[in-house]
Amino acid sequence: MFVGVLALQGAFIEHERRVAELGATPFEIRELRDLSKPFDALILPGGESTVQGKLLRELGLFEPLREKIVSGLPVLGTCAGLILLAKSICAESTVHFAALDVTVERNAYGRQLGSFHAQAPLLGGAEIPLSFIRAPKITKLGNGVEPLVVLDGVPVAVRQKNIIAAAFHPELDEDRSFHQLFLDTAAQAQ
Amino acid sequence: MENRYELNKNLAQMLKGGVIMDVTTPEQAKIAEAAGACAVMALERIPADIRAAGGVARMSDPKMIKGIQAAVSIPVMAKCRIGHFAEAQVLEAIEIDYIDESEVLSPADDKLHIDKTKFKVPFVCGAKDLGEALRRISEGAAMIRTKGEPGTGDVVQAVRHMRMMQSEIRRVVSLKDDEIYEAAKELRVCVQLLKYVHDHGKLPVVNFAAGGVATPADAALMMQLGAEGVFVGSGIFKSGNPAKRAAAIVKAVTNFNDPKVVAEVSEDLGEAMVGINESEIQLLMAERGK
């Protein structure tokens, strides 16, 4: 399985490593010509959503990727990736792919001093480690959005059809189960 | 505390592939954010002006830093003097996202750096070589940058420092296990950290380029030499068209391996920062704090 990893800015190498460990083949998307290869799934990594959103548009990647996402390409977004996917962003007029029916609040836990680690079960099963780095919070779920991980009553990872998104960074911790879930979902879509 | 250090290293991972820009006002911070900066460094005077003004350079006014924190949504960094842990405490009290214990300011301690393990907020420190980088990491730095020569617009020292670090890393990788102890003594660094470098072929934290980067090609050069991102200080707001130059450097960092993109963004940027050659300057800031 070929997994395109958006490599404009942020922690994309960590996702590539994880995807490769699980037997899929990652490749980096940095400019339009990188989209000429076919791929089966897409990862939008953590980083700064303002930077990624701007570069996506200026490098001409935004429309082609949006079309792929809305037409059902399996996609995983973490942290900034969640913000890029969200239909609505608190206190901001600019939204990006707007393909996932949630509202998010950027930097909802405050500055770096508010960053934290936690643990919670994935889909009611085993607990997985969660690293929140200047993380966004999902404040509203639309119809058909299923929570995958809930921490203190707040959904921190969700799924809607072909889209999986998390406010935390599964690529930073050793546990592989979140990426495994994504790759399984992508394999079913094939 | 170990947990906190991991989170702090993680934040630096999120900055990778990005450009961190020096700004002196909320307006400049907004220009930097709109141009695609992944973080800003809030300071009263940019290094070129610090160099021109002479005298003692200190931490910026907290009120000025708070103004910049209020203006942007991206992380905000600020500088304290080398060894000045009370300035660092002030920056932590105003919840800065990253502290740069920086040779750009006048050192407050000519022997010791700050014990950065005592802080919850992360630190980035400058280094000229692997020894300096690992010493700063032992003291608790969660991110490293080359020192370069700030405020000059001359990239030669950043290149020298990055090449030095990379070649020393390659040498350490080639050592046999029992040679690491002697190498640690030579470099004056702790064995565990050197062992990490030996096993992984990289520093245990993110490593950015800084000091003298003025053009998109400078940024692409540093990325190809192994930098994981770039700090741009005086190069942007000392140039003819800061917004355009800033956006161009951001794109050059993302597509550093594609000369066509770097060529395209290098067009028509207006006047670059005038700059001073390394051989023309009196004060080598990179010699501060080893």
Side-chain angles (χ1 to χ4, degrees):
Chain A
M1 184 189 298
F2 290 93
V3 181
V5 182
L6 189 69
L8 301 180
Q9 188 272 327
F12 45 87
I13 290 164
E14 291 78 353
H15 277 290
E16 291 168 34
R17 226 175 268 146
R18 184 57 47 84
V19 162
E21 283 166 7
L22 293 170
T25 311
F27 72 94
E28 295 185 351
I29 299 172
R30 289 174 186 266
E31 49 186 318
L32 200 50
R33 66 173 184 199
D34 297 327
L35 296 183
S36 56
K37 305 167 214 168
F39 54 102
D40 312 297
L42 172 69
I43 295 182
L44 307 175
E48 278 303 319
S49 61
T50 53
V51 182
Q52 296 179 5
K54 179 181 150 60
L55 286 170
L56 272 170
R57 289 173 175 87
E58 290 183 355
L59 295 165
L61 289 166
F62 183 78
E63 243 343 279
L65 284 180
R66 197 190 64 80
E67 275 166 26
K68 281 179 191 290
I69 294 168
V70 296
S71 58
L73 177 74
V75 49
L76 167 65
T78 61
C79 197
L82 161 67
I83 296 168
L84 292 181
L85 289 166
K87 235 174 209 163
S88 160
I89 306 172
C90 288
E92 282 184 36
S93 50
T94 313
V95 290
H96 306 280
F97 295 123
L100 174 66
D101 195 3
V102 298
T103 302
V104 295
E105 183 187 349
R106 289 182 63 209
N107 303 327
Y109 300 92
R111 298 184 175 281
Q112 174 60 5
L113 282 174
S115 294
F116 64 102
H117 276 301
Q119 295 224 324
L122 173 60
L123 272 171
E127 293 214 326
I128 59 168
L130 315 169
S131 296
F132 293 87
I133 312 293
R134 283 176 49 100
K137 192 184 258 175
I138 300 170
T139 56
K140 218 159 92 190
L141 290 190
N143 284 334
V145 182
E146 168 198 15
L148 297 175
V149 181
V150 177
L151 179 67
D152 301 328
V154 178
V156 293
V158 296
R159 174 163 60 189
Q160 182 179 25
K161 293 184 195 149
N162 56 316
I163 300 174
I164 292 181
F168 57 91
H169 291 278
E171 74 280 14
L172 294 179
D173 289 301
E174 288 307 311
D175 190 278
R176 294 175 182 175
S177 46
F178 199 83
H179 281 82
Q180 188 66 63
L181 175 77
F182 172 61
L183 293 178
D184 290 347
T185 310
Q188 279 164 20
Q190 273 183 321
Chain B
M1 210 62 212
E2 193 47 45
N3 213 348
R4 195 70 235 169
Y5 185 57
E6 283 306 314
L7 290 167
N8 287 341
K9 286 201 292 185
N10 290 160
L11 176 58
Q13 284 174 275
M14 296 307 141
L15 300 174
K16 280 189 302 182
V19 182
I20 300 169
M21 303 181 192
D22 279 3
V23 297
T24 59
T25 62
E27 292 69 38
Q28 287 186 355
K30 283 188 184 140
I31 292 172
E33 184 177 46
C38 68
V40 290
M41 178 76 70
L43 68 179
E44 273 165 3
R45 280 185 299 194
I46 55 174
D49 292 334
I50 291 174
R51 190 175 281 288
V56 177
R58 308 178 179 90
M59 175 188 75
S60 298
D61 182 341
K63 188 175 170 189
M64 172 263 162
I65 298 170
K66 280 154 98 177
I68 288 172
Q69 286 176 317
V72 294
S73 65
I74 54 180
V76 177
M77 304 184 166
K79 292 181 193 289
C80 72
R81 285 180 264 177
I82 289 173
H84 206 314
F85 51 84
E87 283 187 350
Q89 289 161 358
V90 169
L91 294 175
E92 182 168 74
I94 61 168
E95 297 202 12
I96 203 76
D97 291 300
Y98 242 95
I99 297 175
D100 185 1
E101 186 184 17
S102 177
E103 67 283 1
V104 170
L105 305 181
S106 308
D109 192 317
D110 57 1
K111 288 202 172 61
L112 304 182
H113 280 71
I114 296 171
D115 176 1
K116 293 167 273 288
T117 63
K118 296 282 190 291
F119 289 79
K120 288 195 181 117
V121 157
F123 281 76
V124 54
C125 285
K128 298 199 298 291
D129 50 43
L130 182 61
E132 281 188 18
L134 294 182
R135 284 195 289 282
R136 298 296 85 77
I137 294 166
S138 312
E139 296 155 3
M143 178 177 181
I144 291 293
R145 55 170 176 76
T146 60
K147 286 177 167 172
E149 195 50 35
T152 61
D154 187 355
V155 80
V156 63
Q157 299 232 21
V159 168
R160 189 182 298 151
H161 301 161
M162 187 55 77
R163 279 200 183 274
M164 174 62 86
M165 257 187 250
Q166 301 294 348
S167 86
E168 286 178 305
I169 288 171
R170 284 193 298 274
R171 187 181 75 86
V172 170
V173 168
S174 73
L175 295 178
K176 285 181 67 185
D177 286 350
D178 60 359
E179 293 170 333
I180 292 172
Y181 302 94
E182 185 58 26
K185 270 191 271 178
E186 280 167 22
L187 289 168
R188 298 189 290 130
V189 299
C190 88
V191 176
Q192 281 79 9
L193 285 178
L194 201 61
K195 216 170 151 18
Y196 181 95
V197 174
H198 174 262
D199 295 345
H200 297 84
K202 64 187 286 296
L203 293 180
V205 304
V206 167
N207 186 15
F208 268 47
V213 175
T215 68
D218 285 350
L221 172 71
M222 295 313 302
M223 293 297 287
Q224 288 187 42
L225 288 173
E228 294 178 281
V230 174
F231 283 86
V232 186
S234 318
I236 289 173
F237 288 100
K238 279 281 167 195
S239 74
N241 189 341
K244 196 169 179 191
R245 183 168 294 266
I249 293 176
V250 169
K251 280 200 209 111
V253 166
T254 296
N255 281 301
F256 65 92
N257 267 329
D258 186 341
K260 278 198 182 134
V261 173
V262 180
E264 201 178 298
V265 301
S266 298
E267 275 184 24
D268 215 11
L269 289 181
E271 210 174 316
M273 144 182 209
V274 175
I276 329 167
N277 289 306
E278 180 199 31
S279 53
E280 295 167 352
I281 52 178
Q282 305 288 321
L283 172 68
L284 274 177
M285 290 174 172
E287 292 305 314
R288 292 166 164 176
K290 296 173 185 177

